[in-house]
Amino acid sequence: MRRFVLAVAVLCGISTGLAAPAVAGTHNRAEAAAGWLARQLVDGERFEADFGGEKFPDQGLTIDAIFAFASARVSDANAEKAITWLARPEITTGYVGSGTEAYAGAHAKLMLAALVKHKNPASFGGVDLPAGLRGLLTPSGRFSDRSDFGDFSNAFTQSLALLALDRTQAGAPAPAVTFLAGTQCADGGFPLNFGQATCTSDVDSTAMVVQALFATGRATDAREGVAWLVTQQQADGGFRAVANGPTNANSTGLAAEALAKHRPAAAAKGRAFLRSLQVGCTGPAADRGAVAHDASGFNPATAPRATAQAILGLSGVGLADLNGGGRPQAPVLACS
């Protein structure tokens, strides 16, 4: 009988005296963004990619969310669900590769997520991630993919590998650090792709590389990268992914997290730009806290990735300093 009364009450909107716990409100923009991001996870645990109407697991964006939650120190209940989902053997191997396929960037990014969440990366989803990553280190010092489809490794791959391995007892391999530092362009920035005829510095890549070089003791090279990065900041405080492109949340989030400890004034301008893209109290309640990709406005297709990368810039916590934990709740933007 009690079950019937509860069912009728729910359907009719009648109060039963059994109030649901209120979702905490926050005025902190990074926390509000992390709360919104947590509510976009499928089943509270993962992101999915849609290709022609078919859904596929999106491990990379799910890991970005874990980094964002750790940075904002909220939504930890969702972070735990996400890392548990990533540790399912079919999800792990579907990302890092199996058999003849092994992807360095995926090994590195997943290993860093495991370490941030205090999981054992040597036994994660049935895979020894550190051993697998070190097995992809070439004599040149570059971490490269082993794949029939080609080598997709780049500056993000190398940076994530150094950041992950630097947290281990053995540390990051010296040849890998030297290789990454050696990719620096004449202007001080760093390219996305290696071995190009013309070295072209890239904002997103430089933001990643300087974090890895600071973490592994190459401060001089890293500071030169920071100096170049500051020259790329636009009048609105944002950063562009490509020349003449719009300033955007993704590039600005990466740059602001890289600048936070080294150029605080530039980082503060970046945070102000990110806040200008955030859906506030005048926006629909379901969208509040989300960060749009650019000034064209909120787009549900691009907002999850833009928000995930913006959060680290909003919080000012870089990848080398992430430490899992924090409040379990996914807060909402306080509008009282």
Side-chain angles (χ1 to χ4, degrees), residues 111 129-138 143 165-166 168-173:
M111 178 181 168
L129 294 172
L133 181 57
R134 291 180 185 276
L136 296 172
L137 181 64
T138 66
F143 289 95
L165 291 170
D166 184 63
T168 66
Q169 187 173 1

Side-chain angles (χ1 to χ4, degrees), residues 128-249:
D128 186 336
L129 294 172
L133 181 57
R134 291 180 185 276
L136 296 172
L137 181 64
T138 66
S140 69
R142 175 179 176 173
F143 289 95
S144 295
D145 297 333
R146 185 176 66 245
S147 171
D148 295 334
F149 303 102
D151 183 3
F152 304 100
S153 62
N154 55 28
F156 273 65
T157 301
Q158 196 80 8
S159 300
L160 288 166
L162 297 188
L163 286 163
L165 291 170
D166 184 63
R167 294 184 179 228
T168 66
Q169 187 173 1
V177 179
T178 300
F179 176 88
L180 184 59
T183 66
Q184 192 168 31
C185 298
D187 58 12
F190 291 84
L192 174 61
N193 296 308
F194 303 137
Q196 302 297 302
T198 301
C199 189
T200 304
S201 295
D202 174 78
V203 166
D204 295 27
S205 302
T206 301
M208 290 292 295
V209 171
V210 299
Q211 293 184 74
L213 293 181
F214 273 125
T216 53
R218 296 294 292 257
T220 298
D221 299 306
R223 280 193 289 268
E224 291 171 354
V226 165
W228 178 84
L229 200 57
V230 171
T231 69
Q232 303 305 300
Q233 191 165 33
Q234 303 301 303
D236 60 5
F239 290 80
R240 296 169 170 163
V242 295
N244 301 319
T247 48
N248 67 84

